[in-house]
Amino acid sequence: MNGRKIQLPAPTFPTTGFHGFKKRFVEGWNERLIAEFNHRLNGTEIIFKNPFGPVHLAGSYEAGWFAVSDIDIDQMMVMNERTVSNDDAGRRLFNQTRQRLFGKRYGASHVG
């Protein structure tokens, strides 16, 4: 990604049966997506490591980790392919700089 931040889709919380901490759920969700991204790009292993000791925090993190589906992973990969191939901002900056330095393409007033 050349030092760019990985774009992640928003988490989808379970509609029933989840009574944990949403912040820990989101952390587990994001860590799983980052692990999947690195697995697809570099072939690294996907290992579940729970950084939380208390049971209620660990359960929320684990629920977020295992809530990620293949569709979410594919959506994340598509989002990041767009950002890598999208050079509109760079092209716009180039055009603005060129116009500032050399005037408009046709009928530059400062030339001649």
Side-chain angles (χ1 to χ4, degrees):
M1 292 294 305
N2 298 335
R4 296 181 187 190
K5 190 174 180 182
I6 300 171
Q7 289 187 353
L8 303 173
T12 52
F13 293 98
T15 55
T16 59
F18 178 70
H19 302 289
F21 291 90
K22 288 187 178 182
K23 182 178 178 182
R24 300 297 177 239
F25 182 91
V26 171
E27 287 179 14
W29 173 276
N30 290 342
E31 289 298 320
R32 170 72 184 273
L33 286 175
I34 291 169
E36 291 284 349
F37 183 82
N38 290 330
H39 173 70
R40 293 209 179 171
L41 250 55
N42 306 326
T44 58
E45 291 185 35
I46 301 171
I47 301 171
F48 174 71
K49 293 181 184 177
N50 199 334
F52 300 103
V55 175
H56 58 281
L57 295 178
S60 299
Y61 183 86
E62 184 177 357
W65 178 275
F66 290 111
V68 175
S69 66
D70 292 335
I71 295 170
D72 299 322
I73 297 167
D74 292 338
Q75 179 185 3
M76 175 200 53
M77 295 305 290
V78 169
M79 287 170 62
N80 287 299
E81 285 175 9
R82 274 194 214 132
T83 59
V84 170
S85 64
N86 187 5
D87 61 347
D88 291 341
R91 186 170 306 283
R92 186 172 42 245
L93 180 64
F94 172 76
N95 288 335
Q96 289 172 354
T97 305
R98 188 185 69 208
Q99 287 177 4
R100 200 174 320 122
L101 292 175
F102 304 112
K104 299 205 184 263
R105 186 177 225 174
Y106 300 108
S109 60
H110 69 281
V111 178

